Amino acid sequence: MKVAIIGGGPAGLYAAILLKKQRPQAEITVHERNRADDTFGFGVVFSDATLDNFEKYDPPSYRRITQEFAYWDDIAVHFRGTVHRVGGNGFCGCSRRTLLLILQERARELGVTLAFETDVDDEARFADADLIVIADGINSRFRDRHIDHFQPQVDLRSNKFAWMGSTKPLDAFTFIFQETEWGPFIAHAYQYEAGRSTWIFETDADTFQRAGLEGLSEQQSADRMAGIFGWFLDGHPLLINRSMWRNFPMIRSQRWVKDNMVLLGDAKATAHFSIGSGTKLAMEDAIALADAMAQAPTVDAALQTYEHGRREEVEKTQHAADVSLVWFEHVDRFWDFDPVQFAFGVMTRAKAITYDNLTLRAPEFVREVDVAFAKQVRGKGFDVDIDKPVAPMFQPLRLREMQVANRAVVSPMCMYSAKEGVPGNFHLVHYGSRAIGGAGLIFTEMTCIGRDARITPGCTGLWNDEQQAAWTRIVDFVHANSAARICLQLGHAGRKGATKLMWEGMDRPLEQGGWDTISASPLPYFPDSQMPREMDRAAMDRVKQEFVIATLRGEACGFDMLELHCAHGYLLASFISPLTNQRSDEYGGSLENRLRYPLEVFEAMRAAWPAHKPMSVRISATDWAAGGITGDDAVAVARAFGEAGVDLVDVSTGQTVRDAQPIYGRMFQTPFSDQVRNEARVATMCVGNITTADQVNTILAAGRADLVALGRPHLVDPSFTIRAAAWYGADIACPPQYLPGKEQIFRNSVRDRQDFEDLKIKGKPKTRAELKAEATKPLAAE
Ligand SMILES: Cc1cc2nc3c(=O)[nH]c(=O)nc-3n(C[C@H](O)[C@H](O)[C@H](O)COP(=O)(O)OP(=O)(O)OC[C@H]3O[C@@H](n4cnc5c(N)ncnc54)[C@H](O)[C@@H]3O)c2cc1C
Ligand SMILES: Cc1cc2nc3c(=O)[nH]c(=O)nc-3n(C[C@H](O)[C@H](O)[C@H](O)COP(=O)(O)O)c2cc1C
């Protein structure tokens, strides 16, 4: 077999090593345009998990790499004169040059041919190769030559960054967030060998301009950075080596394989440097390719296996990198945060690290986070304990005069079980048991303002006395038997009305017994859905009046709070999204116009709703569809409702158009809540695939939301909040009938938690930094 590899970076060299080990007879050549020791960059980082992988696949290179490594466990966050350190991270750094020399030496040893100073410009010269590996890096000539086939998407990010080095020793992965007269600068720095550290500087485009960095030489910009970070560098110089300022290109390729050619490493996909995964991805691509070649019967089949088997892992890493880079791009959102909350946000930005996880590794840090959170709550007039604060989830919140005892919320969820809009026994048990289960706030399902406003024949309503009496019974039960507050969600289905019950066909039109639908514009949801009538002014007035009447009925029922549903493609949402609003009057066109009617309705309701009771609005913060609402629009929408007197924005997403492409994942909508809360400066509630109390605490402690709603988890576990309270040892209201159960779970949780933590700590392998520290510990210290 003949293998041609274009590019002698980590991807190309490691692929050569693994393939040659597998097929000693194969003729493998790496073609590299540079000289052997002619390399850019300073250090590279690997996690312990990545090193475990290297150990498994090629022990000799692993041993040489790890001999050269600098190890560290801590991450240090410097911000506004404070430094917060968190241990247990298990990372290693090594010089990129050394890494490449080790890989070159190992490749040679195995019999790989290394052709340096060979700039390949045409793959035709490899016509006799069975396999051509394209590992020519971020600006891949060969990916771009076949651009129509590989279809790379390049998302050039807005921040500017430059790689530099220094002689400054560092004992932690160090983030420095530095205020300057021009704006914020960030340094990401880590040591990679004795007396050498990598420094990546990052700033936003405006600050870059203001700081006059445009057009400076590498040395001049290094001098400028040394001026900014000199207080930390202690006289150590900044070193340059192709240290130009650039914009990071986030690259994703639609295809990775063409005939017998395969893309590896940065050529195929990139991951932002803030999660330190570029070199890791490159080398793990080589592992995946070698695995596929070992298992599949032909090169063709192996390349298919590589592409299909590897894609999910790469996309997961890219997603984490995306979330992380967005955090750094918007660091100004958090600039006025308490430093410990800021540091918590840095640590938890990419979802892998959470509140519980940090509690195990850095309990003192989490205690500080809890104290800072409790102090903020105390600042709002609550007499909470700040010496031994409870976890953020169990801190109270006030909206106008309504107080909620904790931050866990039952999200609004249609039960599709009402008869002519009247909630029945099912609803009483459903809402009642979730209130008893400890959630601070319970939302009703979307309750419709008129018969024709319903989504399905099973939806609840509040347009007549019978419905009002039924809701009063539920509200009274909640108030009499729990500490929960209950919020009425009012809505109109718009073009998604007259559809089937969820379990008979979500959003599908009713075959019989339907009713006429209305919307901002005459656009059916599915091609075969009913055509809605475009609302005229008379219809707008009628619907607005129905919202006001339902509001008054809601007050008569005794609800504590009111939410206006402006999300998920229903009537008011259909005005806000440009995908569903094609009007040419003053209610269509600009966002300001599209918001006009929803705001009119909100203001009319606000005027009818008692001034001491809060109101929220649910929005879809993105349509997940081209040309639709984006996060930036959501900020503008939230500001407009904020000015109209909204107390909380309930940040959901999507469900506007049927061909939307949401990116699901844990807590997938939380970044939108973060953006709305910290840009529009309104209180928010987040929701969406949040399943654990740990996630609830992580979101709250990082300042990404003020309340956290859980939908589906509450369907199967009404006592989610009591259970979590027991776990975190936070007292919680419980009806007297259930006290023995509460006492038992609180008692057992202390032991269960201790067992769990012991197991986690015992089960966790020592990091390489810990092992190294133990190995070098002087005997006398034993
Ligand atoms: C300026 C810069 C500095 C960086 N510094 C660091 C750092 O300090 N730490 C870190 O972890 N990551 C760093 N990175 C990112 C990291 O280098 C990559 O994520 C990783 O190296 C990807 O490995 P790769 O093998 O896919 O590509 P690369 O390492 O880019 O290797 C591609 C190789 O292909 C060669 N090549 C390209 N075209 C041809 C051709 N036509 N013919 C022959 N050879 C060709 C190139 O010379 C290069 O050696 C840096 C990136 C850049 C752009
Ligand atoms: C069965 C069901 C019914 C729902 N009904 C409503 C509703 O009436 N009003 C609303 O705003 N959202 C509704 N939603 C959306 C939820 O409130 C929530 O935003 C969504 O389920 C995501 O949260 P989760 O991942 O915690 O379930 C419903 C969700 C489910 C699963």
Side-chain angles (χ1 to χ4, degrees):
M1 168 176 265
K2 204 163 175 180
V3 181
I5 299 181
I6 308 172
L13 288 169
Y14 208 48
I17 292 169
L18 300 183
L19 291 174
K20 187 71 183 170
K21 279 178 67 168
Q22 203 178 82
R23 295 161 201 251
Q25 304 310 320
E27 205 182 297
I28 301 181
T29 309
V30 177
H31 304 264
E32 167 57 51
R33 66 179 170 199
N34 291 333
R35 290 188 301 254
D37 58 354
D38 184 17
T39 180
F40 61 81
F42 294 92
V44 297
V45 285
F46 295 122
S47 68
D48 272 1
T50 304
L51 288 173
D52 289 345
N53 230 356
F54 295 168
E55 183 172 21
K56 185 167 142 213
Y57 279 87
D58 187 45
S61 59
Y62 162 80
R63 276 196 296 275
R64 282 174 234 173
I65 291 169
T66 46
Q67 274 160 15
E68 299 290 340
F69 261 100
Y71 296 89
W72 67 89
D73 250 356
D74 288 4
I75 293 182
V77 179
H78 295 255
F79 178 57
R80 287 216 309 261
T82 63
V83 48
H84 289 97
R85 287 181 82 102
V86 174
N89 296 286
F91 269 97
C92 311
C94 158
S95 137
R96 180 178 149 97
R97 185 168 174 277
T98 310
L99 174 72
L100 291 181
L101 292 178
I102 291 170
L103 296 179
Q104 288 169 11
E105 182 188 42
R106 176 75 178 133
R108 255 190 230 104
E109 210 170 87
L110 290 164
V112 172
T113 307
L114 301 179
F116 289 101
E117 297 179 73
T118 313
D119 192 335
V120 182
D121 59 3
D122 189 355
E123 74 269 19
R125 62 189 274 188
F126 306 125
D128 61 342
D130 300 283
L131 170 66
I132 303 174
V133 176
I134 302 175
D136 55 350
I138 207 159
N139 298 316
S140 172
R141 178 183 292 167
F142 292 91
R143 178 194 64 217
D144 290 349
R145 168 164 302 171
H146 301 286
I147 200 162
D148 292 341
H149 179 83
F150 291 121
Q151 295 181 34
Q153 290 168 4
V154 183
D155 175 10
L156 206 58
R157 302 306 306 189
S158 59
N159 270 9
K160 293 278 187 184
F161 78 98
W163 300 86
M164 297 188 192
S166 176
T167 52
K168 164 85 180 163
L170 296 168
D171 60 355
F173 193 111
T174 303
F175 290 110
I176 308 174
F177 296 87
Q178 184 66 46
E179 179 71 57
T180 70
E181 60 189 282
W182 307 290
F185 275 85
I186 306 164
H188 312 234
Y190 55 89
Q191 180 154 335
Y192 60 86
E193 63 185 31
R196 281 284 186 283
S197 44
T198 291
W199 286 71
I200 308 163
F201 297 106
E202 180 177 8
T203 192
D204 62 87
D206 291 342
T207 305
F208 182 80
Q209 286 297 337
R210 282 193 293 268
L213 286 159
E214 187 73 69
L216 293 192
S217 69
E218 284 178 58
Q219 188 54 55
Q220 285 169 325
S221 67
D223 292 344
R224 181 65 55 87
M225 290 303 107
I228 294 173
F229 292 94
W231 64 271
F232 186 87
L233 286 163
D234 286 336
H236 287 274
L238 284 177
L239 312 170
I240 50 173
N241 179 358
R242 298 207 212 166
S243 305
M244 286 80 74
W245 290 90
R246 316 155 197 257
N247 295 78
F248 188 82
M250 195 71 192
I251 298 174
R252 294 179 155 83
S253 301
Q254 196 67 30
R255 296 203 187 91
W256 300 353
V257 173
K258 181 177 190 303
D259 308 324
N260 65 341
M261 291 193 289
V262 57
L263 297 176
L264 251 64
D266 277 2
K268 139 206 123 287
T270 57
H272 191 249
F273 52 80
S274 61
I275 63 162
S277 294
T279 310
K280 159 202 150 84
L281 276 186
M283 291 175 67
E284 288 180 348
D285 283 352
I287 290 176
L289 176 65
D291 273 351
M293 289 288 288
Q295 285 152 22
T298 61
V299 169
D300 257 8
L303 297 189
Q304 295 310 320
T305 305
Y306 161 74
E307 172 156 5
H308 293 127
R310 177 90 180 119
R311 192 173 273 282
E312 189 181 331
E313 189 57 34
V314 170
E315 286 178 356
K316 262 192 347 214
T317 307
Q318 285 195 293
H319 180 62
D322 271 357
V323 174
S324 174
L325 78 84
V326 167
W327 193 93
F328 283 101
E329 283 175 354
H330 296 287
V331 70
D332 54 330
R333 279 183 200 157
F334 317 107
W335 214 251
D336 60 356
F337 271 29
D338 180 291
V340 72
Q341 188 173 36
F342 183 93
F344 186 85
V346 178
M347 293 300 304
T348 57
R349 69 189 186 280
K351 298 200 280 198
I353 297 177
T354 64
Y355 179 90
D356 280 2
N357 174 280
L358 284 171
T359 303
L360 285 177
R361 295 204 250 155
E364 281 312 307
F365 173 64
V366 175
R367 212 190 90 79
E368 242 193 283
V369 171
D370 286 350
V371 168
F373 197 93
K375 281 186 177 162
Q376 285 174 17
V377 173
R378 192 176 256 260
K380 304 265 185 228
F382 287 99
D383 184 23
V384 295
D385 189 346
I386 50 174
D387 293 326
K388 285 200 184 121
V390 288
M393 176 173 171
F394 299 98
Q395 293 286 354
L397 176 80
R398 181 182 295 108
L399 296 170
R400 300 211 179 198
E401 289 178 22
M402 181 187 83
Q403 291 188 13
V404 288
N406 63 62
R407 311 290 181 115
V409 177
V410 177
S411 201
M413 281 181 291
C414 263
M415 293 292 104
Y416 308 100
S417 304
K419 299 265 179 313
E420 281 300 316
V422 181
N425 288 340
F426 180 88
H427 296 87
L428 178 69
V429 173
H430 170 69
Y431 291 110
S433 52
R434 276 143 195 87
I436 290 173
L441 181 62
I442 314 272
F443 275 67
T444 70
E445 60 203 274
M446 177 167 123
T447 299
C448 307
I449 53 164
R451 195 171 187 284
D452 290 358
R454 293 175 302 166
I455 311 168
T456 74
C459 288
T460 54
L462 191 45
W463 68 83
N464 65 32
D465 292 346
E466 194 187 350
Q467 294 155 352
Q468 185 175 321
W471 277 119
T472 304
R473 179 169 167 243
I474 293 168
V475 173
D476 287 349
F477 180 90
V478 169
H479 286 160
N481 295 286
S482 78
R485 301 285 176 256
I486 181 161
C487 174
L488 168 67
Q489 185 188 61
L490 286 179
H492 187 303
R495 71 179 189 146
K496 290 168 101 176
T499 55
K500 295 181 179 175
L501 305 184
M502 175 181 72
W503 47 87
E504 288 173 359
M506 183 94 167
D507 297 326
R508 299 295 310 154
L510 282 172
E511 276 142 31
Q512 287 167 357
W515 50 88
D516 289 344
T517 59
I518 51 174
S519 192
S521 297
L523 300 165
Y525 185 68
F526 287 110
D528 62 342
S529 295
Q530 202 185 129
M531 175 69 81
R533 191 164 38 83
E534 177 174 295
M535 284 180 89
D536 58 15
R537 188 61 243 185
M540 286 186 194
D541 288 341
R542 179 179 56 78
V543 167
K544 181 167 73 177
Q545 191 54 22
E546 286 174 359
F547 269 108
V548 170
I549 291 169
T551 299
L552 294 171
R553 286 187 180 276
E555 163 59 3
C557 294
F559 282 104
D560 303 295
M561 180 174 167
L562 181 63
E563 174 162 284
L564 176 60
H565 201 328
C566 291
H568 301 168
Y570 296 120
L571 183 70
L572 297 175
S574 77
F575 276 84
I576 299 174
S577 172
L579 301 176
T580 46
N581 180 341
Q582 299 183 343
R583 300 175 74 100
S584 53
D585 61 5
E586 68 268 42
Y587 300 98
S590 66
L591 179 59
E592 189 189 351
N593 283 359
R594 287 182 272 123
L595 267 172
R596 200 180 301 278
Y597 182 60
L599 281 171
E600 240 182 64
V601 172
F602 177 84
E603 281 161 2
M605 290 165 75
R606 184 62 269 183
W609 185 242
H612 66 279
K613 290 189 180 183
M615 273 187 75
S616 61
V617 60
R618 182 165 252 208
I619 61 168
S620 284
T622 173
D623 289 330
W624 300 111
I629 291 285
T630 63
D632 288 343
D633 295 327
V635 172
V637 170
R639 281 206 181 103
F641 277 105
E643 280 161 23
V646 92
D647 303 290
L648 179 86
V649 179
D650 172 359
V651 185
S652 185
T653 67
Q655 302 178 46
T656 314
V657 286
R658 75 196 157 81
D659 52 356
Q661 302 218 298
I663 303 171
Y664 293 115
R666 276 173 296 158
M667 307 183 273
F668 73 112
Q669 297 175 154
T670 303
F672 296 97
S673 163
D674 188 343
Q675 180 176 9
V676 167
R677 179 179 192 267
N678 297 310
E679 286 189 16
R681 304 279 158 173
V682 292
T684 61
M685 177 164 87
C686 68
V687 65
N689 220 1
I690 298 162
T691 52
T692 66
D694 179 24
Q695 291 168 350
V696 174
N697 278 313
T698 307
I699 292 166
L700 293 168
R704 298 192 172 112
D706 299 272
L707 287 172
V708 180
L710 296 91
R712 289 163 297 170
H714 273 121
L715 290 181
V716 288
D717 187 0
S719 301
F720 177 88
T721 308
I722 285 212
R723 232 185 269 289
W727 186 255
Y728 289 99
D731 196 19
I732 189 164
C734 172
Q737 298 90 328
Y738 291 174
L739 277 175
K742 177 186 168 188
E743 282 158 15
Q744 184 187 48
I745 192 173
F746 269 69
R747 205 170 40 245
N748 289 350
S749 276
V750 175
R751 200 189 52 227
D752 290 350
R753 189 170 172 142
Q754 192 58 54
D755 288 352
F756 172 79
E757 289 182 356
D758 287 351
L759 204 70
K760 276 263 182 189
I761 290 166
K762 277 195 204 119
K764 183 178 172 288
K766 288 212 159 70
T767 64
R768 284 173 171 79
E770 285 165 342
L771 291 171
K772 189 165 181 175
E774 275 178 12
T776 53
K777 196 159 57 173
L779 282 178
E782 297 270 328

